[in-house]
Amino acid sequence: MLKYKSWECLPPAECLPDSDDTPVDNELQDLIPHLLKTILAFAWANRWDWFFGVDMGIYYDSKESPIAPDGFLSLGVERFIDEELRSSYVLWEENYIAPIFVLEVISHKPGGEYKRKKDIYAKMGVLYYAIYNPLRRQQPRLEVRHLVNGSYNLLSGNPIWLPEIGLGIGRERGTFQGITREWLYWYNEQGQRLLTPEEQLTEADRRAAEADRRAQRLAERLRNAGIEPDL
């Protein structure tokens, strides 16, 4: 873990830039983490001890520029700090709670995901580091690494269970914002994919329609038996 000075001597979030000033150069770098965040916001709607940042600067050392992963998840922190929300994630203002999960989405432009960023995340103490490379055809597009004794070990499987988070992560074809392709999703321990809010609404509509059909069939049976359903 990186060592820090007392937080009283360090600049507050409002005095720091809110990113690393590096724009995303691939739409998937924005959409994929937003989908993961959207699913969590639905699945963990009653939990307030987590935060998911998208393209947000993480300040891990007052002497270094921030690093801005495409997405990251922290547990044990306030989901909302105030009505202005977070402008960046500043470790010395988060009780030095590093993200437990970081996601980088690869684009055509090299971004140091396999070396420079990986080393920073390891020093920061990020337990799970995921890299999604949609450009790959022969090798796995999703790689998840687990931090063990300061080094990352590559995990296998799809989905991959992350016990400290209580969720798995994996890739699967689906539809988000009208776009059908391979996306990243969260999974439960049984390997079942967590539904998106849109899918939840569709499922609720399906169940309501099925309940209505059952009611209509029951009413028809009652009428055939000479009983008026409304009575």
Side-chain angles (χ1 to χ4, degrees), residues 12-21 56-59 66 87-90:
E14 57 266 24
C15 296
L16 298 168
D18 57 9
S19 75
D20 61 357
D21 293 325
M56 175 180 286
I58 300 176
Y59 282 88
S87 57
S88 56
Y89 191 87
V90 184

Side-chain angles (χ1 to χ4, degrees), residues 10 19 95 106 136 159 217:
L10 298 172
S19 75
N95 294 320
I106 302 297
R136 284 183 169 178
R217 289 195 296 268

Side-chain angles (χ1 to χ4, degrees), residues 114-124 152:
Y114 291 98
K115 179 57 181 173
R116 181 183 64 84
K117 289 185 175 181
K118 182 162 71 77
D119 292 343
I120 292 174
Y121 296 141
K123 291 178 181 178
M124 198 188 303
Y152 280 117

Side-chain angles (χ1 to χ4, degrees), residues 9 35 47-48 56 75 121 145 151-152 172 191 217 230:
C9 304
L35 174 56
R47 287 185 57 173
W48 302 96
M56 175 180 286
L75 299 180
Y121 296 141
R145 292 172 169 80
S151 299
Y152 280 117
E172 184 175 329
R217 289 195 296 268
D230 293 338

Side-chain angles (χ1 to χ4, degrees), residues 142 156-161 169-172 182-185 187 191:
L142 176 63
S156 61
N158 183 48
I160 296 172
W161 181 244
I169 189 167
R171 54 190 181 88
E172 184 175 329
E182 180 180 87
W183 297 100
L184 299 187
Y185 293 97
Y187 294 78

Side-chain angles (χ1 to χ4, degrees), residues 17-81:
D18 57 9
S19 75
D20 61 357
D21 293 325
T22 303
V24 297
D25 59 352
N26 185 316
E27 192 174 8
L28 290 177
Q29 291 177 302
D30 178 71
L31 290 177
I32 287 176
H34 267 109
L35 174 56
L36 292 173
K37 181 176 183 177
T38 299
I39 296 172
L40 275 188
F42 196 91
W44 289 355
N46 297 320
R47 287 185 57 173
W48 302 96
D49 62 341
W50 63 277
F51 175 73
F52 196 99
V54 177
D55 192 32
M56 175 180 286
I58 300 176
Y59 282 88
Y60 60 95
D61 189 323
S62 62
K63 297 180 180 179
E64 300 290 343
S65 299
I67 187 169
D70 294 312
F72 68 90
L73 171 66
S74 291
L75 299 180
V77 300
E78 293 290 334
R79 184 172 171 188
F80 305 117
I81 53 175

